[in-house]
Amino acid sequence: MNIEKDTAQVPSPFKGMGAKLDAGIVKALNKIKGTTLATYQAAIVRIGFSLTCALYLIREWPHRLDLYGTTNSWGFDLAQRLNASNGAFSVLMWSNGRLWFELVYHGAIAASLLLLLGWHTRTMSLLFMVGVLSLLNRSALLGDGGDNLMHLMATYLVLTRCGQVWSLDARRRDRAAVLGRDSGDRARAALWACLGAGLAVAQATGFAQLSLGWALFFWGMWFIQALWFWVDRRRSFELRAVLDAIANVVHNAAMLVIAAQVCILYTTAGWYKIQGPRWQDGTAVHYPLHLAYFSPWTQLSQSLDSSSLMITVITYGTVFVQVAFPFALLNRRVKNVLLPIMMTEHASIAVICGLPFFSLAMVFADAVFLPTSFLRWVGSRVAAARDRVIERVRRRGDPQTAGANAGA
Amino acid sequence: MEPHEALDETLLEGAALREPAAVDVLPPALNGSWSPLSRIVIAGTIAVVAIAVTVHLLLLFLYLAPSNAVSRQHDELVRGYVYPEFDQNWRLFAPNPLQTNINVHARAEVKSPDGSLRTTPWASLTDQDIAHIRGNPAPSHEYQNLLRQAWDFYTRQHDGDGKAIGLLGELSETYVRRIAAHRLGPRLDGGQMVKVQVYAAYTPIAPPKWSNETVDPRASQKVLAWWPVSKEDFR
C-alpha cells in the first residue's frame, strides 16, 4: 500500500538519538563540573545585591535603632517568641545590647562593601548572608518584596563562585599568575582563623545560640576552607582538580537556582494577576497611584493616571511581560527585548512609588539574564572610566608621572 | 558554542574564558586519567546537587502555587522547608491591587501627676508617615513599611470578631500597641500614658472615570478596644 511505501522512505527522526543523547549527557556533565558557568552574571548579582544592601543600610542609618535595634517597636521579646516558633536565624537574637547591635549593623555594611569589591569573596558572601539574615529576621514584619529578594539572593550567593571576575580576588589571581605567589594568602588565613576562633568562643561561652543545622553549616564552610588551604599547600593537582570540580558543580547549581528563582517570582506575580478582575479590566495600575503610602510625588501619579490609554497599556503590558518572561528565555532575541522593558518598568516604579531599593533589587535580579557580551562591554567601559579618573587624580598629584598609566 | 542557543549561550559564554588551573594536569573530561575515587566523589556530588536543586525548586513551586492536592498532602514538608529562610510572597498587587487607603489613628489616656485621667484627641499615625514620604525619593522603611505592614499583620492574624489567632495574633496586638505607644508617648501633655486606643479608617479608592465599576465611596472604620500600656512596652 502507498502508506507503507511512504513510511519506508522517510528516515526515522529517532535514528541515532540514543548515541546523541549519550554524547550530550557526557558533554553536559563535563561542562557543569569542568567550568564555572555564567561568571559575569554571578558577578553582576553579587555587585548588585551587595550595592543595594549597602545603600539601604546607609540610608536607614538614622533609623537603624527604630527598625532593627533597641528602640524597635517589634521588641526583643516579640522577636524572640516569633523566631523561637519558626527557627529564623539572626545573630541579633543573641543579645539585646546596643553595642552588639551596632557591631552587627556596621559589620553588615562593611561586609556588603567588601563583597561589592570582591575581597575574599567567599568569606565575605558568608558574612553578607549573616548580616542580611540577622537584620531582616530581627524585624521579620518590616520587609517588603525587595528585602525578601535580598534575603534569598544573599543565601544563594554563598554557594556561587561570584568573585571570578570584577573583583579584587580576580585581580590578585591575575597578579599571582605573573608573580607566581598569591599575596592574599595571609589575609585569607587570618580571616579564616579569626572567624573560626570567634565562632568557637561565641559557642563555648553560650553567647551564640545556634541551631544544630546552622552550626553544622558554619563549621562545614570553615572546614572546606581548611581543606582548600591544605590542598594548596600539598600541591596535589588531582585533589585541587576535584575541589574545583565540586565548587563548579555547586556554583552552576546555585546559578540555576537564582535564575529559576527569578522566573518563579515573575510567574507567581503574573499568573496571580491574571486571576484578578482589576487586571482583567485594565484598571489595576490606577489604584496604586492613589495609595498614599506609594505616591511620594502626587502630581506625577495623578498626571500618569489622567490617561485611560496609558493605564490600560501599562496594566496589560505588566501582566503580559510577567507571564511571558520565563518562556521568553527560550529565545535569546525575545529575552533581550523583554529585559530592558522590565528594567525600565522597575526604574519607573522606583520613582513613582518611592521604592528605590525594591526596584534596584529587582533590576539586579533581572540582570542575571543579561548576555555576557553586554556585561563585558559594560565592564570594559566602567574600567576605562575608572582608569581615566585614576589618571586624572594622579596627574593632579604628580605632573611627572602623567600618562604612565597603562590601560587594562 | 552554538550561537542559536538563547539561554544556554548567555549563561555559558563566560565559561570558556577562565579555565581552572588544573586543566593543565588533568583532562577536563572525567576519563581514565582521573583516579576512581575522584570520579566517584564528583559523580556523587553531581547526584546530590541535582537532587537538592530539584527538591528545592519543587518545594518552592508547591509553596507558591495555589493550594492543590499535592501541596495539601505535603503541607507540613513544604512549609517546614520553606519557612523561615526561603519564605517569599510575589503576589504583588495580585490578584487585585489594594483598593483602599488605610489610615491608622491612635489616642491615649494620660494620667497627670495629680492622679486625674484625661483622654487625648485622635492623632493620625498614617498622616505622620505620609508627611515623611511626600517628596522623598527614598522614603525610610520606618514610615513606608513599619505601621502599614504591622496593621496588615494585625488584621490577618485576627478573625472576623476581632479575636487574636494563636501566637501571631497575640504578637500582632503587642506590636500595634507598642507602635501607637511609641509614636504618642510615653509622656504627653505633662502626664504618663496609661492606655492607648487604635482605630483604622478605610477609604475606598474611586475607580477611574472611564471604568464601569461602581464602588461605595463611604469610608468604614475598625475601632479597637482600649489597651493598657505598661513600662514593658517602653523597654
Side-chain angles (χ1 to χ4, degrees), chain A residues 293-321:
Chain A
Y293 272 106
F294 297 107
S295 13
W297 320 100
T298 35
Q299 296 269 309
L300 178 68
S301 300
Q302 268 155 31
S303 69
L304 198 66
D305 189 43
S306 60
S307 157
S308 61
L309 179 69
M310 181 89 98
I311 293 295
T312 314
V313 167
I314 297 176
T315 304
Y316 283 167
T318 302
V319 178
F320 180 81
V321 166

Side-chain angles (χ1 to χ4, degrees), chain B residues 181-199:
Chain B
H182 289 183
R183 290 275 182 100
L184 299 177
R187 296 193 62 80
L188 68 167
D189 298 347
Q192 183 74 32
M193 175 192 288
V194 285
K195 277 183 186 170
V196 70
Q197 189 184 23
V198 171
Y199 97 86

Side-chain angles (χ1 to χ4, degrees), chain A residues 289 297 300 304 314 340-356 359 363:
Chain A
L289 292 174
W297 320 100
L300 178 68
L304 198 66
I314 297 176
I341 295 178
M342 304 186 84
M343 289 181 167
T344 311
E345 179 159 13
H346 284 134
S348 325
I349 288 173
V351 178
I352 296 164
C353 299
L355 292 166
S359 299
V363 165

Side-chain angles (χ1 to χ4, degrees), chain B residues 2 10 44 76 84 133 145 149 157 190 219-220:
Chain B
E2 297 82 356
T10 314
E76 214 162 292
I133 291 170
N145 289 4
Q149 306 215 135
Q157 301 303 333
S220 60

Side-chain angles (χ1 to χ4, degrees), chain A residues 213-263:
Chain A
W214 280 105
L216 281 176
F217 174 73
F218 287 124
W219 284 116
M221 294 297 276
W222 193 77
F223 276 111
I224 290 169
Q225 183 78 296
L227 198 62
W228 280 93
F229 278 129
W230 181 69
V231 167
D232 278 354
R233 184 139 304 181
R234 272 195 48 175
R235 300 192 181 279
S236 158
F237 289 113
E238 178 150 1
L239 269 178
R240 169 87 206 191
V242 170
L243 283 189
D244 248 329
I246 292 173
N248 282 336
V249 170
V250 173
H251 163 92
N252 295 333
M255 287 310 291
L256 177 70
V257 169
I258 289 177
Q261 176 70 66
V262 179
C263 290

Side-chain angles (χ1 to χ4, degrees), chain B residues 26-95:
Chain B
L26 287 165
L30 271 181
N31 57 25
S33 54
W34 293 64
S35 76
L37 184 63
S38 303
R39 290 157 73 183
I40 290 170
V41 167
I42 291 171
T45 308
I46 292 178
V48 169
V49 167
I51 293 168
V53 168
T54 313
V55 168
H56 178 77
L57 294 178
L58 195 66
L59 292 180
L60 277 190
F61 175 81
L62 288 176
Y63 178 70
L64 290 167
S67 173
N68 58 64
V70 184
S71 64
R72 272 194 298 274
Q73 201 178 341
H74 301 285
D75 187 51
E76 214 162 292
L77 171 74
V78 171
R79 289 178 167 276
Y81 177 77
V82 171
Y83 278 121
E85 307 303 352
F86 297 115
D87 185 23
Q88 47 193 294
N89 174 15
W90 306 117
R91 294 179 211 183
L92 310 167
F93 297 121

Side-chain angles (χ1 to χ4, degrees), chain A residues 33 38 59-60 63 66 77 81 89 141 143 147-148 151 156 238 261 272 279 286 290 292-293 296 332 335, chain B residues 6 10-11 28 35 38 56 64 66 85 87-88 93 95-96 101 129 135 138 140-142 145 149 170 178 206:
Chain A
K33 71 145 253 295
R59 191 268 166 269
E60 297 293 10
H63 304 278
D66 286 348
D77 51 337
R81 290 173 67 189
F89 171 80
L141 293 160
D147 300 281
N148 199 168
H151 185 142
Y156 297 146
E238 178 150 1
Q261 176 70 66
Y272 277 106
W279 293 95
H286 159 83
H290 291 269
Y293 272 106
R332 183 180 167 81
K335 178 203 70 174
Chain B
T10 314
L11 293 174
S35 76
S38 303
H56 178 77
L64 290 167
E85 307 303 352
D87 185 23
Q88 47 193 294
F93 297 121
N96 276 326
N101 269 309
D129 283 347
S140 167
H141 274 23
E142 178 157 18
N145 289 4
Q149 306 215 135
E170 195 191 316
R178 284 187 192 170

